[in-house]
């Protein structure tokens, strides 16, 4: 597509950018999706493993599946939805974690969330760790759960922002991979892959979007890159947008990485059942046995632990997992597992993290991040969502909302041509 033919450029082809570009396309707007990676999907990324299974290195769960737009998109593509219960809604394996202890932990978790809710009602925007019971027996594991949910420990997280998250409690999966669904939803849109946007100059009548493959002119732009890259000023705006960057800096990306392991003799375990490596500390993995019934373990590492493991290379995830698993299941267990795949999202230059949380005092940064500039620069991405942040459906919603704003501006412009410079 010649750059003169473009009305709107969408920067970043993750779930948000693809949702925006799709909606613009369906409304007859001439859009162009520009993506730095050689593939679509961003943090939605399915790869096919050596046994032919589709594994999601990024998002896998259709959270709030009963109202998740990706569910209908997946079904429209003919994908298969698995509705079996997620591991966190089933009892865990009773290895080093008796049923009585699991019940006690469940109650401690519920009390923590109840205190968190009260804190938010009665206080300024404090760290969520203020809701921990001082010296509580389960604080280590409650913190581990925070690293899985938010990619950081509770002391870093805004209680108010966390409390704004809405979850319907329905969690489904796509057998072919959620990353596949997101990728395919964008596949036929006008698109430039392997093309990094370097800056956006909005001084002139048309925007000038500088890329490493030349400049593109457009009327509007939807910026849908990860908030971590905005916070680091990796996209240069001319004139600069200090308030936007400040909002981005209030919303760091937490860190979570998945390691997939092949498991011999998997039938010994129930499907989709979870085992914590340790129950007395935050730095521990959550091991999901037989995800989707497959002969695998999906290991999840978050927060400081994930950062430490990333710094020590791919192999350190496997070594850590084996040390925790053999500690619970005996030394012979090391002969039953083999690493399949890991992706270090913190070191991935086009993510620099996994999903956003808000720093204490920064709960309102999400609205500030999503705010359009001069009706020409629009913003999308999971971090812009006030109630569904950190998810693929939250990303979709912000992309669709940004596209609707663009469409509204453009229809006003075409009715009143003098309204725009
Ligand atoms: C390990 C892990 C597990 C997760 N699990 C779940 C889950 O189970 N369920 C769920 O709903 N969510 C989950 N998530 C979160 C979910 O994947 C993200 O919230 C969502 O995919 C983010 O979409 P996005 O469009 O906002 O950003 P991204 O997917 O990051 O898309 C942004 C795009 O912008 C591109 N880009 C960056 N810089 C530039 C540039 N300068 N020029 C052009 N392009 C650029 C990037 O390459 C990327 O493709 C998980 C994420 C991770 C990492």
């Amino acid at each position: 597509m010649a750059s003169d033919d473009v009305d709107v450029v969408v920067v970043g082809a993750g779930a948000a950018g693809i949702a925006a570009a799709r909606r613009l396309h369906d409304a007859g707007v001439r859009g162009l999706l520009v993506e730095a990676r050689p593939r679509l999907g961003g943090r939605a990324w399915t790869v096919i493993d050596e046994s032919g299974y589709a594994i999601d290195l990024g998002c896998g769960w259709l959270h709030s599946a009963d109202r998740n737009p990706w569910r209908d998109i997946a079904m429209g593509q003919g994908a298969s939805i698995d509705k079996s219960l997620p591991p966190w809604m089933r009892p865990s394996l009773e290895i080093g974690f008796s049923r009585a202890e699991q019940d006690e932990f469940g109650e401690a978790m519920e009390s923590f969330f109840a205190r968190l809710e009260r804190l938010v009602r009665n206080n300024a925007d404090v760290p969520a760790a203020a809701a921990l019971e001082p010296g509580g027996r389960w604080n280590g594991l409650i913190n581990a759960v925070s690293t899985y949910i938010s990619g950081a420990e509770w002391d870093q997280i805004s209680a108010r922002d966390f409390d704004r998250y809405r979850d319907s409690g329905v969690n489904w999966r796509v057998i072919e991979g959620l990353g596949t669904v997101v990728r395919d939803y964008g596949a036929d849109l006008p698109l430039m892959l392997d093309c990094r946007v370097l800056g956006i100059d909005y001084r002139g009548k048309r925007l000038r979007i500088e890329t490493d493959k030349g400049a593109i002119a457009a009327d509007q732009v939807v910026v849908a890159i990860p908030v971590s890259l905005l916070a680091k000023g990796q996209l240069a705006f001319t004139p600069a947008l200090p308030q936007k960057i400040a909002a981005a800096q209030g919303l760091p990306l937490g860190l979570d990485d998945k390691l997939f392991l092949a498991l011999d003799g998997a039938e010994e375990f129930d499907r989709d059942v979870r085992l914590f490596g340790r129950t007395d500390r935050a730095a521990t993995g959550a091991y999901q046995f037989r995800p989707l019934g497959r002969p695998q373990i999906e290991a999840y590492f978050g927060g400081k632990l994930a950062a430490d493991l990333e710094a020590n290379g791919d192999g350190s995830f496997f070594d850590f997992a084996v040390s925790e698993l053999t500690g619970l299941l005996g030394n012979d267990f090391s002969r039953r597992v083999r690493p399949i795949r890991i992706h270090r999202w913190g070191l991935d230059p086009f993510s620099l993290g996994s999903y956003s949380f808000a720093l204490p005092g920064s709960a309102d940064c999400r609205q500030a991040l999503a705010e359009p500039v001069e009706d020409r620069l629009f913003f999308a991405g999971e971090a812009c969502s006030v109630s569904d942040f950190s998810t693929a459906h939250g990303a979709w919603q912000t992309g669709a909302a940004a596209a609707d704003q663009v469409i509204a501006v453009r229809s006003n412009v075409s009715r009143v041509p003098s309204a725009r410079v």
Side-chain angles (χ1 to χ4, degrees):
M1 177 184 290
S3 94
D4 285 352
D5 296 335
V6 177
D7 294 328
V8 182
V9 166
V10 178
V11 186
I18 291 172
R22 167 65 59 198
R23 187 161 288 207
L24 291 169
H25 181 78
D26 291 351
V29 177
R30 293 170 307 177
L32 177 65
L33 197 45
V34 181
E35 167 57 47
R37 299 179 196 264
R39 62 169 180 85
L40 287 163
R43 282 171 274 167
W45 186 22
T46 306
V47 297
I48 305 300
D49 76 7
E50 61 200 14
S51 306
Y53 294 118
I55 56 177
D56 277 310
L57 296 172
C59 54
W61 291 97
L62 290 165
H63 294 307
S64 298
D66 48 341
R67 59 174 177 83
N68 187 319
W70 293 113
R71 178 206 53 194
D72 285 347
I73 294 166
M75 286 163 65
Q77 292 172 353
S80 326
I81 307 285
D82 181 274
K83 299 186 179 175
S84 46
L85 277 183
W88 62 90
M89 294 177 88
R90 304 168 185 248
S92 296
L93 274 174
E94 287 187 65
I95 300 172
F97 198 26
S98 69
R99 185 57 68 83
E101 287 173 321
Q102 294 184 33
D103 290 346
E104 212 183 286
F105 167 64
E107 281 163 27
M109 203 75 232
E110 266 180 39
S111 310
F112 170 75
F113 285 130
R115 282 193 299 272
L116 189 81
E117 225 180 293
R118 283 200 296 278
L119 256 184
V120 171
R121 267 203 311 273
N122 303 329
N123 281 285
D125 188 9
V126 296
L132 286 170
E133 183 194 344
R137 175 183 175 192
W138 296 105
N139 284 358
L141 197 53
I142 294 175
N143 244 323
V145 169
S146 177
T147 70
Y148 310 138
I149 300 177
S150 303
E153 289 73 9
W154 291 116
D155 58 350
Q156 295 183 57
I157 294 171
S158 150
R160 174 152 300 146
D161 183 63
F162 185 83
D163 187 65
R164 285 180 180 158
Y165 182 76
R166 292 290 163 258
D167 179 10
S168 75
V170 184
N171 300 280
W172 295 342
R173 278 166 291 180
V174 182
I175 305 287
E176 295 81 354
L178 183 49
T180 306
V181 174
V182 174
R183 180 198 68 194
D184 290 355
Y185 192 56
D188 64 341
L189 294 168
L191 172 71
M192 282 175 77
L193 289 176
D194 250 327
C195 181
R196 182 174 187 164
V197 174
L198 306 170
I200 298 168
D201 185 336
Y202 60 103
R203 287 172 300 182
K205 191 169 174 205
R206 295 256 287 168
L207 305 176
R208 186 179 162 86
I209 293 130
E210 289 294 346
T211 81
D212 59 6
K213 298 213 167 108
I216 307 169
D219 296 331
Q220 285 97 10
V221 65
V222 177
V223 177
I225 67 171
V227 66
S228 47
L229 302 181
L230 281 178
K232 283 192 177 301
Q234 291 203 3
L235 199 59
F237 294 96
T238 313
L241 292 174
Q243 284 163 331
K244 196 61 79 182
I245 305 306
Q249 287 169 348
L251 302 166
L253 291 194
L255 189 56
D256 280 283
D257 293 320
K258 291 181 196 174
L259 164 70
F260 288 84
L261 300 166
L263 173 63
D264 290 342
E267 323 70 54
E268 178 192 334
F269 300 96
D270 285 340
R271 61 170 287 180
D272 290 312
V273 68
R274 180 169 71 177
L275 179 66
F276 291 115
R278 293 277 293 259
T279 57
D280 57 351
R281 65 182 188 202
T284 191
Y287 303 91
Q288 180 184 347
F289 281 68
R290 295 184 63 203
L292 291 162
R294 298 167 179 175
Q296 294 179 345
I297 299 175
E298 184 177 320
Y300 214 75
F301 306 95
K304 289 193 194 95
L305 170 64
D308 287 348
L309 295 174
E310 283 207 2
N312 289 308
D314 281 0
S316 68
F317 285 86
F318 181 68
D319 295 344
F320 185 85
V322 168
S323 73
E324 287 208 314
L325 291 170
T326 52
L328 291 164
L329 294 156
N331 284 341
D332 285 354
F333 196 76
S334 64
R335 288 204 286 273
R336 292 174 59 181
V337 287
R338 247 179 11 264
I340 300 175
R341 191 76 189 246
I342 167 81
H343 184 67
R344 289 182 280 169
W345 288 100
L347 295 179
D348 181 325
F350 298 120
S351 294
L352 299 181
S354 302
Y355 31 85
S356 67
F357 65 91
L359 295 172
S362 298
D364 295 336
C365 286
R366 298 195 188 276
Q367 296 92 322
L369 184 68
E371 195 62 32
V373 174
E374 291 188 1
D375 277 350
R376 298 205 294 162
L377 314 183
F378 297 82
F379 293 83
E382 54 87 9
C384 293
S385 170
V386 172
S387 56
D388 296 275
F389 49 83
S390 76
T391 66
H393 64 280
W396 184 96
Q397 288 160 355
T398 63
D404 285 345
Q405 290 170 332
V406 170
I407 291 163
V409 166
R410 293 187 67 82
S411 61
N412 285 340
V413 168
S414 51
R415 277 201 302 276
V416 193
S418 58
R420 250 188 72 250
V421 221

